[in-house]
Amino acid sequence: MNHVMQNYGRFPLTLIKGQGSRVWDDQNNSYLDFVSGIAVNIIGHAHPRMVKALSEQAASMLHCSNLYHIPQQTLLAGKLCVLAGLDRVFFCNSGAEANEAAIKLARKYFYDQGSSRRTIITATQSFHGRTMQTLTATGQDKVKIGFDPLPQGFEHVPLNDLDALRAQINAQTAAILLEPLQGEGGVNLADAAYLQGVRALCDEHGMLLILDEIQTGMGRTGKMFAYEHAGIRPDILTLAKGLGGGVPIGAMLATEQLAKSFGPGTHGSTFGGNPMSCTAALTVLEVMEEEALLINTVQRSQQIFEELQAFAQAFEGLLEVRGQGLLLGLECNCDVQPIIERCRKHGLLLLAAGPKVLRILPSLNVSEGEVNEALEILEKSLKEVLA
Ligand code: PLP
């Protein structure tokens, strides 16, 4: 008997090794990995820089409590703040924890101001995590079933509908929490004009803009952070997934004004920001710069987007191509699992975003040749399933 809890629906596949964008199963079959651990392995598997940096760090110190100063944490915080245009970072270990921290900081900030604002507005179809607060923040009922009583103080509005948001705002509204590009909810893009409008509404009403870039951050959309496409900046930003390139790390960034509300003892994490995870994130940043991964992301995105559009013209069952950078979705008029299964049989790993959207999430250093190979497998699989 396998004693692991059965909370994941798993594919019948055991992956044991990876190199770049390729992974191998326990039967020594190889696959092109266009899932990347769900947007985590952004510099591919077993990158030599990562192997070296982590080995050296492991030989020196894996963990050190936040009772003490951690130089790698200080260095990483500085680099992230310069990139994001924010001032302070709290480190944790996952996306849900980063969003928990964001929700707590927003509420604590208004509490410290003597204000009664506590409500967080989020978008329908959003996904923010599996803890009690973050599943309540999530705009999808399926993640909430059986877990009541749910925490209070969350409301949902449709994405890209500024009037709906305006109508929802009242004296209790503390913040709006959005993914600039919804991943789990179906690869749904928040329009640049919508994000600009949300920023303006936040400024007008004195509420905070929290952007969840756990899936979109760290270059996934072709900019370091997806909000750069709209020329705006959040008050609070959350990151995880790609940040550590496979080593668990989450981060919540905020302005100096807000960060004052997280004084000593207000929040914490045993493992958050330890030397090992910060070394991983620093290495990801180095590789991104040295290998010009933002440029590769834009180029490979264009390559995939154009070909997917050609598929959408050629196959009747395909409806729309959407997304940004290397977070792309292909909406079908049918269940996408049979397509994912065919792709797997032919040596390509893909995933879904909801029942009818194929999600394509290669590492940001995927090559032109690997993309061509993946697209050939996808075309062959589409022919087998849809023809
Ligand atoms: N927010 C977004 C946008 C996500 O895509 C995810 C995970 O898929 C999360 C939050 C939760 O992250 P984690 O699974 O690391 O808790």
Side-chain angles (χ1 to χ4, degrees):
M1 181 186 165
N2 179 342
H3 291 276
V4 176
M5 280 211 192
Q6 301 290 294
N7 54 311
Y8 300 108
R10 295 180 198 264
F11 292 111
L13 190 62
T14 304
L15 298 175
I16 55 166
K17 195 176 74 176
Q19 185 69 58
S21 289
R22 224 166 273 275
V23 290
W24 283 263
D25 69 14
D26 54 356
Q27 311 296 313
N28 210 26
N29 299 308
S30 83
Y31 304 83
L32 273 173
D33 181 7
F34 276 44
V35 173
S36 306
I38 317 186
V40 169
N41 304 107
I42 60 173
I43 60 168
H45 297 274
H47 193 291
R49 289 289 300 268
M50 186 64 97
V51 174
K52 183 169 183 286
L54 293 183
S55 306
E56 285 172 5
Q57 189 55 50
S60 163
M61 180 183 268
L62 283 178
H63 176 76
C64 165
S65 164
N66 282 301
L67 287 167
Y68 311 103
H69 292 282
I70 301 174
Q72 296 87 343
Q73 196 182 112
T74 310
L75 190 59
L76 178 60
K79 285 182 190 277
L80 289 176
C81 283
V82 168
L83 289 167
L86 290 165
D87 303 312
R88 298 267 180 187
V89 189
F90 166 77
F91 289 107
C92 50
N93 315 284
S94 68
E97 280 176 80
N99 282 338
E100 281 280 338
I103 292 162
K104 285 182 71 176
L105 181 63
R107 291 199 173 137
K108 180 69 164 41
Y109 169 72
F110 285 113
Y111 170 87
D112 289 348
Q113 305 279 305
S115 160
S116 62
R117 289 171 184 257
R118 296 291 182 271
T119 307
I120 316 278
I121 300 174
T122 74
T124 50
Q125 292 304 111
S126 60
F127 184 84
H128 298 295
R130 298 287 193 160
T131 61
M132 290 303 285
Q133 296 275 355
T134 58
L135 76 84
T136 309
T138 292
Q140 301 185 58
D141 289 341
K142 66 180 185 193
V143 304
K144 307 181 191 193
I145 297 165
F147 295 120
D148 60 316
L150 299 177
Q152 296 176 348
F154 293 93
E155 292 168 354
H156 306 284
V157 293
L159 189 69
N160 288 328
D161 184 341
L162 212 50
D163 290 336
L165 173 60
R166 194 179 284 110
Q168 198 70 34
I169 296 169
N170 59 38
Q172 301 309 312
T173 309
I176 175 157
L177 163 61
L178 289 174
E179 294 157 85
L181 169 57
Q182 293 181 341
E184 304 303 305
V187 191
N188 307 311
L189 188 65
D191 303 331
Y194 176 72
L195 288 176
Q196 289 155 5
V198 172
R199 178 70 269 179
L201 275 180
C202 286
D203 295 342
E204 185 186 330
H205 293 274
M207 59 191 220
L208 305 176
L209 175 58
I210 309 173
L211 291 181
D212 174 344
E213 293 233 23
I214 285 154
Q215 190 153 158
T216 55
M218 307 309 295
R220 175 59 55 189
T221 69
K223 302 257 188 208
M224 186 56 83
F225 306 112
Y227 61 77
E228 294 171 40
H229 293 284
I232 59 151
R233 200 161 54 195
D235 302 297
I236 301 178
L237 169 68
T238 55
L239 303 172
K241 287 190 181 280
L243 178 58
V247 174
I249 180 169
M252 185 271 290
L253 287 76
T255 60
E256 180 68 24
Q257 192 189 3
L258 297 179
K260 286 196 175 85
S261 289
F262 262 13
T266 49
H267 192 55
S269 162
T270 294
F271 292 117
N274 78 14
M276 191 71 170
S277 60
C278 290
T279 296
L282 286 165
T283 307
V284 165
L285 285 175
E286 279 168 25
V287 170
M288 284 188 74
E289 195 177 333
E290 281 166 21
E291 299 183 11
L293 294 192
L294 291 181
I295 294 173
N296 191 59
T297 300
V298 172
Q299 289 172 346
R300 299 291 74 78
S301 173
Q302 210 173 339
Q303 187 187 352
I304 301 174
F305 207 97
E306 280 168 13
E307 194 67 8
L308 292 184
Q309 276 181 323
F311 294 167
Q313 297 285 317
F315 294 94
E316 236 176 55
L318 304 182
L319 303 177
E320 195 189 21
V321 185
R322 53 180 189 253
Q324 229 170 19
L326 290 174
L327 171 42
L328 296 172
L330 178 60
E331 188 174 9
C332 309
N333 67 3
C334 58
D335 179 11
V336 295
Q337 286 307 329
I339 303 171
I340 291 174
E341 209 169 295
R342 290 313 306 171
C343 285
R344 193 176 71 245
K345 292 225 157 83
H346 295 310
L348 169 66
L349 302 182
L350 291 179
L351 80 163
K356 295 189 173 179
V357 181
L358 268 182
R359 193 166 18 151
I360 296 159
L361 278 169
S363 60
L364 307 189
N365 59 357
V366 69
S367 72
E368 185 176 359
E370 287 162 342
V371 165
N372 281 332
E373 202 183 318
L375 290 169
E376 273 170 31
I377 295 175
L378 177 57
E379 185 175 22
K380 182 162 140 187
S381 305
L382 290 171
K383 275 186 190 148
E384 287 169 3
V385 176
L386 300 176

